[in-house]
């Protein structure tokens, strides 16, 4: 039983760390907007 408890605590800690990193990314990283141009060949427009 102690090994199961240790495993569950480890999973909870890893999930908490992942959640904390994702929360920090949401708070501190600001995305930059830019225009994207995609060239489509005319062969694909008129099959």
């Amino acid at each position: 039983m102690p090994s199961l408890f240790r495993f569950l605590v480890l999973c909870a800690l890893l999930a908490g760390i992942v959640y904390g990193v994702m929360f920090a990314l949401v708070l501190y990283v600001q995305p930059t907007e830019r225009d994207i141009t995609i060239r489509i060949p005319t062969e694909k427009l008129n099959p």
Side-chain angles (χ1 to χ4, degrees):
M1 197 63 158
S3 61
L4 176 63
F5 182 71
R6 214 176 311 150
F7 174 71
L8 292 176
V9 168
L10 179 66
C11 287
L13 285 174
L14 288 175
I17 290 171
V18 168
Y19 184 79
V21 168
M22 288 177 15
F23 189 73
L25 282 173
V26 167
L27 284 181
Y28 297 117
V29 176
Q30 297 295 326
T32 58
E33 293 183 10
R34 57 183 174 170
D35 293 333
I36 297 176
T37 303
I38 300 174
R39 296 182 186 266
I40 302 175
T42 56
E43 296 87 26
K44 290 193 176 187
L45 291 176
N46 299 322

